[in-house]
Amino acid sequence: MPELPEVEVVRAGLEAHVAGRTVSKVEVLHPRAIRRHVLGAEDFTGRLAGVRVDAARRRGKYLWLELSGGEAVLAHLGMSGQMLVQPEGAPDEKHLRVRVRFADDGPELRFVDQRTFGGLALDELVTTDGEQLPGTIAHIARDPMDPRFDAAAAARALRSRRTEVKRALLDQTLVSGVGNIYADEALWRSKLHWARPTEKLTAAQGRALVAAATEVMDSSLQAGGTSFDALYVNVNGQSGYFARSLDAYGQEGLPCRRCGTAIRREPFMNRSSYSCPRCQPRPRSSR
DNA sequence: ATCGTCTCCTGTTCGC
DNA sequence: TGCGAACAGGAGACGA
């Protein structure tokens, strides 16, 4: 479940191993991996051949390879996507979806994705809010790691919604990069129940929530960065990565680190939300 | 315009 | 033992 810190580790790996290299040949092994590239696989592979990768960039959970010529390969890892840098000739992964070979005959880039929620697409770069972004993600808000992230504005945006606070926190047009795991962690740190109505959040609570989300992603990024293997860029299953210390997410039945009460799991949007019944009491207004 | 629900996908785990 | 259900969940599409 890659969220911002995981995607950032991947971006750094791509910057180190792919930037500056020229694409020679691209193979699409599963059409669903490029479903957001509307012109299809042939167009995708044809237009990539011969272009140079200038840089690897990221906003929220999206990352993209900036290409010579004003275009970019936009990527989202979805639930299970991985970007692997592998020597040519290494056995294909079971869920290999896209292979990118380079003119220098060095290691190839592989997009591997079991559940195929992720994907790649070629996209035009556009200027939005003083930033060059792939056009299809121009609506994605700045994330807390962005040098120009405005925490106060993000807190106001969250409070301006009329919904449950966790729904707002997961809305990538308000603050990007937060997924189910970090949302639960940020809410735990802020002592807020996920169903708290946004309109009842005080300004201080809004700011504290944004600060908590920033902190939890920051510390996770530091932990993830240290487990990064220079030989390849990996997202899932690497030790020290998802084994990061969590206070709420996935902790059902375990004692709250603050008060000792057993963490509970509740259904939320066809998935789960974890919280401490004592530190994060359910708001009276709902159920 | 805004908000909530549905859907896509596959491997693993769990209950009967 | 076998099989179906539940679960993992990001984000676009769509309906109200």
Side-chain angles (χ1 to χ4, degrees):
Chain A
M1 297 143 272
E3 299 185 25
L4 184 152
E6 290 78 6
V7 180
E8 173 56 22
V9 171
V10 174
R11 187 210 62 77
L14 292 174
E15 182 73 37
H17 296 284
V18 173
R21 303 175 68 194
T22 298
V23 175
S24 58
K25 189 181 178 206
V26 178
E27 261 178 275
V28 174
L29 294 104
H30 195 305
R32 196 174 145 75
I34 57 146
R35 67 193 178 284
R36 289 174 70 181
H37 186 79
V38 281
L39 295 176
E42 210 172 311
D43 180 81
F44 183 81
T45 57
R47 280 160 66 190
L48 272 174
V51 303
R52 195 182 71 239
V53 176
D54 286 336
R57 307 203 186 280
R58 181 191 58 74
R59 172 171 284 195
K61 303 171 202 168
Y62 282 95
L63 56 86
W64 65 95
L65 297 174
E66 220 170 81
L67 307 173
S68 51
E71 286 194 313
V73 179
L74 178 63
H76 198 292
L77 302 174
M79 288 289 297
S80 52
Q82 294 172 283
M83 291 285 194
L84 304 179
V85 176
Q86 296 276 46
E88 271 191 70
D92 286 3
E93 291 75 11
K94 183 177 179 189
H95 301 292
L96 178 62
R97 309 305 190 195
V98 179
R99 183 202 321 273
V100 180
R101 289 198 168 96
F102 294 91
D104 55 24
D105 290 331
E108 58 190 41
L109 174 64
R110 298 180 178 185
F111 178 66
V112 176
D113 189 13
Q114 180 211 103
R115 275 182 263 183
T116 72
F117 272 30
L120 310 179
L122 255 176
D123 202 5
E124 295 285 337
L125 289 172
V126 300
T127 303
T128 307
D129 190 21
E131 216 76 63
Q132 287 265 101
L133 291 179
T136 55
I137 62 158
H139 64 291
I140 301 293
R142 290 183 190 274
D143 61 66
M145 304 294 127
D146 190 318
R148 293 176 59 193
F149 178 69
D150 184 339
R156 281 196 299 275
L158 290 174
R159 292 177 63 228
S160 73
R161 283 313 181 91
R162 290 297 169 259
T163 185
E164 296 166 344
V165 63
K166 186 171 173 181
R167 286 180 183 275
L169 199 51
L170 292 173
D171 184 338
Q172 306 295 302
T173 67
L174 305 177
V175 179
S176 69
V178 183
N180 200 39
I181 297 171
Y182 294 113
D184 279 1
E185 294 300 302
L187 289 165
W188 182 86
R189 290 181 180 220
S190 309
K191 300 185 181 178
L192 293 172
H193 189 274
W194 54 266
R196 184 77 78 86
T198 46
E199 63 261 42
K200 290 191 178 170
L201 283 189
T202 65
Q205 285 174 323
R207 288 194 299 269
L209 181 58
V210 171
T214 304
E215 287 162 16
V216 72
M217 288 197 287
D218 227 355
S219 58
S220 180
L221 181 54
Q222 284 169 34
T226 61
S227 74
F228 175 53
D229 186 329
L231 288 178
Y232 62 103
V233 187
N234 204 348
V235 181
N236 295 316
Q238 296 305 297
S239 62
Y241 209 36
F242 283 100
R244 66 170 101 69
S245 66
L246 295 169
D247 290 308
Y249 180 83
Q251 306 299 302
E252 184 181 20
L254 297 174
C256 169
R257 209 176 294 230
R258 245 182 338 233
C259 75
T261 308
I263 297 290
R264 74 186 148 193
R265 179 168 70 96
E266 296 170 295
F268 166 80
M269 288 176 72
N270 283 329
R271 47 198 62 121
S272 296
S273 232
Y274 298 87
S275 58
C276 171
R278 188 160 158 197
C279 300
Q280 303 165 268
R282 176 176 268 286
R284 274 179 237 104
S285 51
S286 65
R287 261 180 296 170

